[in-house]
Amino acid sequence: MSGPPHVIRGSVSLPEAELMWRFSRSSGPGGQHVNTSDSQVELRFDLAGTEALPPVWKERALERLANRLVGGVLTVRASEHRSQWRNRETASVRLAALLAEATAPPPRARRKTKIPRGINERRLREKKQRAQTKRGRTGRDW
């Protein structure tokens, strides 16, 4: 499939040479043409053996996608469209999105902040006041 390279993030993109395509008959809607056309697309990418990704990204992706990999190979299927071409596009977009998510840097760690003393004291004062109010409601002298 020619066209724009499958950009993951920044200047990193998937080389077409490392993508393995497989086509088969798709289930689902179609017409008379459906029984003869191989419109389902299976796109495979050897994540463990690639040199296209920076080592840090690769490590991150292998760790995060571990449950989706079979022998270090990531597989994406697309069969929702009736045309093979559109299924190819869908599969490549899906693969690029998966890899973009898996190679994203981890979120920044949360910095603990200390509650200012004045605010804490005010909270305790209001708490005492509320307790006092509720204590005053008990039915001692009804």
Side-chain angles (χ1 to χ4, degrees):
M1 180 176 152
S2 61
H6 315 289
V7 178
I8 296 175
R9 201 169 49 256
S11 61
V12 179
S13 60
L14 291 177
E16 189 60 50
E18 290 190 24
L19 300 179
M20 295 165 279
W21 299 91
R22 216 174 92 199
F23 309 101
S24 55
R25 290 195 187 144
S26 181
S27 63
Q32 289 122 324
H33 181 60
V34 76
N35 297 327
T36 56
S37 63
D38 292 341
S39 60
Q40 177 173 288
V41 172
E42 190 179 282
L43 175 57
R44 301 167 59 144
F45 177 66
D46 186 1
L47 186 57
T50 187
E51 293 299 317
L53 300 177
V56 181
W57 286 25
K58 189 168 148 180
E59 222 170 274
R60 223 181 269 156
L62 283 168
E63 194 179 301
R64 289 182 186 167
L65 297 172
N67 59 346
R68 281 201 62 152
L69 299 176
V70 178
V73 176
L74 180 63
T75 307
V76 173
R77 258 193 212 93
S79 62
E80 44 277 19
H81 302 293
R82 280 174 60 174
S83 91
Q84 186 192 95
W85 186 78
R86 281 177 68 191
N87 279 333
R88 284 178 82 136
E89 273 196 340
T90 306
S92 61
V93 165
R94 214 176 277 168
L95 180 71
L98 251 177
L99 287 170
E101 199 178 310
T103 57
R108 295 241 309 269
R110 181 184 173 276
R111 256 181 60 203
K112 283 186 182 173
T113 54
K114 196 171 184 298
I115 297 173
R117 210 171 97 209
I119 288 176
N120 207 26
E121 283 175 0
R122 186 181 76 198
R123 180 182 66 86
L124 293 174
R125 246 198 333 274
E126 285 172 359
K127 205 172 147 143
K128 264 200 178 89
Q129 183 60 52
R130 188 99 186 115
Q132 195 69 42
T133 305
K134 288 188 172 190
R135 210 175 300 126
R137 289 186 190 147
T138 55
R140 280 180 302 215
D141 22 284
W142 286 102

